Amino acid sequence: MFGWGSGAETEAATPERGPLGVSLGGGIEVDTLSLQAAMAGTEPAMPVPTGGMMIVAAYGEARLDASTVLSRYYDSDNTILQVMSASGAPGDELLDVSIYRPWDSVVPASANEWARWRGPNGLIGQPSYDADGILFHRFWGEGAARADLVEFVEDVDDGASRRAIHQSCMLYARPLGQGREMLLLNIERDIDARAAAQGSSIEFMIGYGLMPADIRRL
């Protein structure tokens, strides 16, 4: 997806990043026991994360609105630990915590193919999305009409380079066991690379909500 974990070395001392205050190369303990219990006996789209220590290979940040900053901690396998806070500063209260992993990727080859995904009647933004027989319902936006995608620019730093990635996305979800499985459809465009205006790829990510107490800086 984003291509971290290429072996690039980071500086010996890097600043603390985001509300968890974790430097690149630092660790985060992720406890998924409650999540696994909630999903017991179900058939998730991907195996439920086993948790354990996550080594941060890159950090991304985007301001969503005046009171919410999205912070993302990436490991070398592109697992994303996503947290929401008011300012993104170390020590900020965690308003929302979730974990996502790549599931699939599509690279439309023509304007017609892009229109099929994100045009006025495109697949992304419709009230539901059928992912190879797994039906997810739109989590953002109400009503039977197609909803506008959520757009933001995420600034991502892996210690060797910094990238500004424009993202247009829509979140879907389905009840599963005692919890919820989420499907994030994300159109990515690397601004610095001057990618095509409509996007460079469509990423499919499966995610689950966590409690703030489930994660801990090491």
Side-chain angles (χ1 to χ4, degrees), residues 7-209:
E9 296 183 359
T10 58
E11 298 177 4
T14 58
E16 296 181 338
R17 313 296 178 103
L20 298 182
V22 181
S23 301
L24 299 183
I28 302 171
E29 183 72 24
V30 181
D31 183 352
T32 62
L33 290 179
S34 296
L35 173 61
Q36 292 180 52
M39 298 292 169
T42 66
E43 295 185 9
M46 295 176 64
V48 175
T50 56
M53 184 170 66
M54 175 182 181
I55 301 299
V56 177
Y59 173 75
E61 186 172 290
R63 176 162 288 282
L64 301 183
D65 55 40
S67 60
T68 311
V69 170
L70 175 150
S71 297
R72 286 174 169 172
Y73 298 90
Y74 297 85
D75 71 7
S76 60
D77 293 324
N78 283 319
T79 294
I80 304 171
L81 181 64
Q82 177 175 289
V83 296
M84 304 283 193
S85 64
S87 71
D92 244 9
E93 178 186 1
L94 306 184
L95 305 177
D96 185 80
V97 181
S98 53
I99 188 168
Y100 287 89
R101 291 183 296 168
W103 189 35
D104 199 359
S105 182
V106 172
V107 181
S110 67
N112 286 339
E113 288 188 24
W114 274 110
R116 175 175 175 268
W117 286 99
R118 68 161 306 165
N121 298 310
L123 294 172
I124 305 177
Q126 296 294 345
S128 62
Y129 183 82
D130 187 332
D132 296 328
I134 303 176
L135 186 63
F136 292 85
H137 295 282
R138 193 175 63 210
F139 194 71
W140 295 336
E142 299 179 352
R146 180 178 179 271
D148 292 334
L149 307 189
V150 174
E151 301 195 32
F152 57 87
V153 175
E154 181 183 1
D155 294 311
V156 186
D157 184 3
D158 68 357
S161 62
R162 298 187 179 188
R163 298 163 60 189
I165 302 172
H166 182 274
Q167 300 176 49
S168 304
C169 53
M170 180 54 66
L171 184 64
Y172 291 83
R174 64 172 181 144
L176 200 62
Q178 300 301 310
R180 178 190 296 128
E181 184 174 61
M182 297 176 288
L183 171 64
L184 182 64
L185 301 184
N186 196 34
I187 300 172
E188 300 171 5
R189 178 169 61 91
D190 194 321
I191 294 175
D192 293 336
R194 298 182 181 179
Q198 64 267 37
S200 58
S201 68
I202 302 170
E203 303 297 332
F204 296 68
M205 290 176 277
I206 294 292
Y208 304 95

